[in-house]
C-alpha cells in the first residue's frame, strides 16, 4: 500500500492511498467466496452456485462490498502509517476502483492543528485584591440576620414597609368570573421589599387586620400566565394579620444558633474567612480568564472547523434535551440559533484547549498517578470513604478521567501564572 | 422453424454446470416439436461451435392446483448438447 499525505491548511490532510492490484483481487475473491456460501439461485442448491455465476449475478453488490472493505482497511492503515490523528470523519473525494487494477483513494480529514510555538511567557495580568473590608463583613452579618428574621403578629398594627401581611385573596375578571389560579387563603405578602407587583404593595401599605382592599391589574395579552393574559383582573384582599419583622440581635446566642460558634467574635471570624475564601476564588478566576483571553489573542492559529462543529453539536444536543423538559422553551427552540449563539464561545474554548495541550507538551506538564491518588484521597476524606473505595467508585462513574483533566488544567494554570507577570491590586 | 424459436432458453442448474465441466455438455430448454437434427443445426449456427451429439427428453408439466382447481404446467423438452472437443459456450459462464 502506498500512502501519500498532503498538508492543506494546518488542520487538514489529504491522504492519497493506492491499494495494489493483487490486494484488490484477493479481496474480490474473498468477498465472492462469502457471497457464494449464501447465494441461492433457481436451479442450484443454496451455496452450490458456481463462483463465476455468483460473480456475474451479484457483481454490483460484490463490488460495493469490496470497495467498502478496502476503503475501510486502507484508510485505517493509512492514518496509522502516516501517524495522523483525525478529528473528523474522512471525506472521500476520489475513488477509482477497477478489478485487476490498483485502487486509488483520496480522503480528506481534519486533524488537530500542530502548535509548535506558544507565546505564553510574561503575560501581563492583574489579580484583583481579595481583601475584605469591615463594611463587607457587616453586610454579610446583616444578611445572616435577615435570613433568620422572625415575623411577629402585632394587634392593631397598620402595615408598613418590611412587614408581612397575611391575606385571603380572590381574583375576578371583568365579567365577575372567579379565577381560581389567582385566589387563595392565608397568603403571605411581603410589603415594601419589591417582591410582589407594586399595585399590591401600594394597596396594602397602611392596611390593618380586618381591612379589605381591592387591586386592579390590567394584564397584557402576552402575559406569562394564560389564566390572566389579556384580562382586567380585580383582586380582593382580606387582610387577616399584619406581622412585624424582627431581626435577631447579633449576640452570642445568635452566634451559637448559626453553628458551632461560642461568641459573636467567633462568628465574625468564620464569616470573614468565608468571605475571604470566596473573594480569593473570584480573584483567581478573574486572573485565569485574563490569562486565557490574552493567550488566545496572542496565539492565533487556524481552527479546525470539525472541532468547533462537533462541540456545537453537543451544545445543541444538551439544550435540546433541556427544552424538551420545558414546554415553554420547546416552542422557541431553534438549533441554528443556539449554534450561532455559542459559536464564539466554542471557538475560544477550543483555542484554549489546544493551546493548553501545546503548553503542556512544551513544559512537560503531566498528572502522575501519585497526583491523582493524592487528590482522590482528599475527595475520599470529604466523603468519609477509604481512598481505594473512592477511587473505584469514581472510576465506575467515569469521573476519574475528568478528575485527571481537571488536575492537568490546574497544573497548567499554575505554570502559566508562575511564568506570567501578575500585578496585584491593593 | 427459426433457430431462435427452437431453442427456448439455456438451463442453468447445478447438474448442468457439473456436466458442462466434466463432459462438455450443455443443457437447453427447446421447443417440444424440435428434433435432434434441428437442435444440432440451431446450436451450431447460433453459437458457431461444432456439436458432437444431442440427447433430448420430454418433461411432463407438473400438476398444480389453486384451491381445488386442478391445473397443469405445459410439457417441455430438454436437450443435452455435447460439443466437440475444444468447443465451449462462453454464454454459460453467467446468466
Amino acid at each position: 500500500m502506498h500512502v501519500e499525505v498532503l498538508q492543506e491548511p494546518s488542520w487538514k490532510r489529504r491522504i492519497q492511498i493506492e491499494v495494489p492490484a493483487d490486494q484488490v483481487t484477493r479481496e474480490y475473491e474473498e468477498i465472492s467466496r462469502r457471497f457464494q456460501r449464501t447465494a441461492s439461485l433457481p436451479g442450484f442448491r443454496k451455496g452450490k452456485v458456481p463462483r463465476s455465476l455468483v460473480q456475474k449475478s451479484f457483481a454490483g453488490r460484490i463490488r460495493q462490498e469490496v470497495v467498502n472493505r478496502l476503503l475501510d482497511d486502507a484508510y485505517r492503515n493509512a492514518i496509522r502509517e502516516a501517524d495522523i490523528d483525525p478529528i473528523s470523519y474522512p471525506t472521500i473525494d476520489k475513488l477509482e476502483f477497477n478489478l485487476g487494477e490498483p485502487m486509488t483513494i483520496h480522503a480528506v480529514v481534519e486533524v488537530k492543528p500542530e502548535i509548535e510555538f506558544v507565546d505564553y511567557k510574561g503575560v501581563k495580568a492583574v489579580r484583583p485584591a481579595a481583601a475584605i473590608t469591615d463594611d463587607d463583613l457587616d453586610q454579610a452579618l446583616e444578611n445572616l440576620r435577615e435570613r433568620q428574621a422572625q415575623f411577629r403578629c402585632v394587634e392593631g398594627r397598620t402595615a408598613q414597609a418590611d412587614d408581612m401581611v397575611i391575606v385571603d385573596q380572590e381574583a375576578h375578571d371583568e365579567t365577575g368570573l372567579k379565577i381560581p389560579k389567582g385566589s387563595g387563603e392565608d397568603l403571605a405578602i411581603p410589603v415594601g421589599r419589591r417582591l410582589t407587583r407594586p399595585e399590591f404593595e401600594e394597596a396594602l401599605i397602611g392596611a390593618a387586620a380586618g381591612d379589605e382592599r381591592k387591586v386592579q391589574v390590567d394584564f397584557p395579552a402576552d402575559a406569562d400566565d394564560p389564566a390572566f393574559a389579556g384580562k382586567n383582573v380585580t383582586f380582593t384582599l382580606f387582610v387577616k394579620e399584619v406581622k412585624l419583622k424582627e431581626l435577631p440581635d447579633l449576640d452570642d446566642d445568635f452566634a451559637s444558633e448559626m453553628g458551632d460558634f461560642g461568641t459573636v467574635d467567633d462568628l465574625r471570624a468564620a464569616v470573614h474567612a468565608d468571605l475571604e475564601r470566596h473573594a480569593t476564588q473570584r480573584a483567581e478566576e478573574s486572573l485565569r480568564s485574563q490569562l486565557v483571553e490574552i493567550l488566545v489573542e496572542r496565539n492565533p492559529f487556524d481552527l479546525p472547523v470539525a472541532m468547533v462543529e462537533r462541540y456545537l453539536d453537543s451544545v445543541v444536543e444538551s439544550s435540546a434535551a433541556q427544552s424538551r423538559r420545558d414546554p415553554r422553551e420547546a416552542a422557541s427552540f431553534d438549533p441554528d440559533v443556539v449554534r450561532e449563539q455559542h459559536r464564539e464561545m466554542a471557538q475560544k474554548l477550543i483555542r484554549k484547549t489546544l493551546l493548553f495541550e501545546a503548553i503542556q507538551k512544551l513544559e512537560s506538564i503531566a498528572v502522575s498517578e501519585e497526583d491523582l491518588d493524592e487528590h482522590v484521597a482528599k475527595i475520599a476524606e470529604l466523603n468519609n470513604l477509604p481512598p481505594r473505595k473512592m477511587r473505584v467508585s469514581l472510576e465506575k462513574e467515569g469521573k476519574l478521567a475528568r478528575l485527571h483533566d481537571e488536575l492537568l488544567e490546574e497544573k497548567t494554570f499554575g505554570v502559566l501564572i508562575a511564568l506570567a507577570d501578575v500585578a496585584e491590586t491593593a | 422453424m427459426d433457430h431462435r424459436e427452437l431453442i427456448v432458453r439455456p438451463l442453468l442448474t447445478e447438474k448442468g454446470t457439473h456436466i458442462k465441466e466434466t463432459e462438455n455438455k450443455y443443457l437447453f430448454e427447446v421447443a417440444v416439436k424440435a428434433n435432434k437434427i434441428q437442435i444440432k443445426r440451431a446450436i451450431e449456427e447460433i453459437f458457431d461451435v461444432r456439436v458432437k451429439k444431442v440427447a433430448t427428453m420430454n418433461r411432463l408439466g407438473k400438476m398444480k392446483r389453486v384451491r381445488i382447481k386442478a391445473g397443469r404446467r405445459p410439457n417441455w423438452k430438454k436437450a443435452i448438447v455435447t460439443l466437440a472437443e475444444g468447443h465451449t459456450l462462453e454464454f454459460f459462464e453467467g446468466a
Side-chain angles (χ1 to χ4, degrees), chain A residues 56-224:
Chain A
K56 227 165 230 173
S57 25
F58 297 104
R61 279 166 61 191
I62 293 179
R63 190 192 142 94
Q64 189 62 45
E65 188 79 357
V66 171
V67 169
N68 285 350
R69 275 270 285 272
L70 285 176
L71 187 62
D72 209 52
D73 275 6
Y75 173 70
R76 263 177 229 278
N77 287 333
I79 59 173
R80 201 175 46 225
E81 207 169 287
D83 199 16
I84 290 173
D85 186 12
I87 54 167
S88 70
Y89 290 113
T91 324
I92 308 299
D93 65 2
K94 185 174 169 202
L95 188 91
E96 270 170 25
F97 172 79
N98 285 306
L99 255 189
E101 284 173 29
M103 176 175 169
T104 321
I105 304 164
H106 286 193
V108 178
V109 294
E110 294 189 14
V111 294
K112 279 186 180 178
E114 228 158 275
I115 305 170
E116 272 135 23
F117 174 75
V118 187
D119 176 13
Y120 60 94
K121 289 179 185 162
V123 176
K124 274 196 174 38
V126 176
R127 194 202 305 265
I132 304 302
T133 63
D134 283 348
D135 283 349
D136 295 337
L137 184 56
D138 287 342
Q139 187 58 48
L141 288 168
E142 202 54 38
N143 288 345
L144 269 185
R145 286 177 66 204
E146 191 76 33
R147 232 180 296 158
Q148 296 297 313
Q150 300 277 340
F151 288 93
R152 188 167 57 87
C153 186
V154 180
E155 289 291 329
R157 182 179 169 86
T158 56
Q160 293 161 23
D162 264 1
D163 284 357
M164 184 77 83
V165 181
I166 309 294
V167 299
D168 287 349
Q169 173 181 312
E170 272 180 25
H172 298 273
D173 64 10
E174 56 264 56
T175 60
L177 205 70
K178 188 171 171 181
I179 305 173
K181 218 172 169 182
S183 309
E185 289 181 0
D186 292 330
L187 305 174
I189 302 180
V191 178
R193 289 202 285 169
R194 299 208 193 109
L195 291 174
T196 51
R197 292 183 151 272
E199 295 96 324
F200 280 77
E201 299 208 347
E202 224 168 88
L204 285 171
I205 291 273
D211 286 0
E212 187 184 314
R213 297 287 158 109
K214 281 198 190 302
V215 182
Q216 291 236 332
V217 182
D218 249 330
F219 285 96
D222 60 347
D224 291 338

Side-chain angles (χ1 to χ4, degrees), chain A residues 28 31-37 39-41 47-60 62, chain B residues 93-94:
Chain A
Y28 177 73
I31 302 284
S32 306
R33 208 169 308 140
R34 238 176 45 205
F35 268 83
Q36 192 186 6
R37 271 202 293 275
S40 75
L41 286 179
K48 302 288 185 185
V49 182
R51 178 87 53 87
S52 58
L53 191 55
V54 170
Q55 283 171 346
K56 227 165 230 173
S57 25
F58 297 104
I62 293 179
Chain B
E93 292 307 317

Side-chain angles (χ1 to χ4, degrees), chain A residues 376-396:
Chain A
V376 169
K378 266 189 221 158
I379 298 175
E381 210 178 284
L382 287 176
N383 287 305
N384 269 330
L385 276 173
R388 188 173 305 165
K389 243 186 186 166
M390 192 71 225
R391 194 186 167 107
V392 169
S393 89
L394 282 172
E395 225 161 309
K396 225 183 260 168

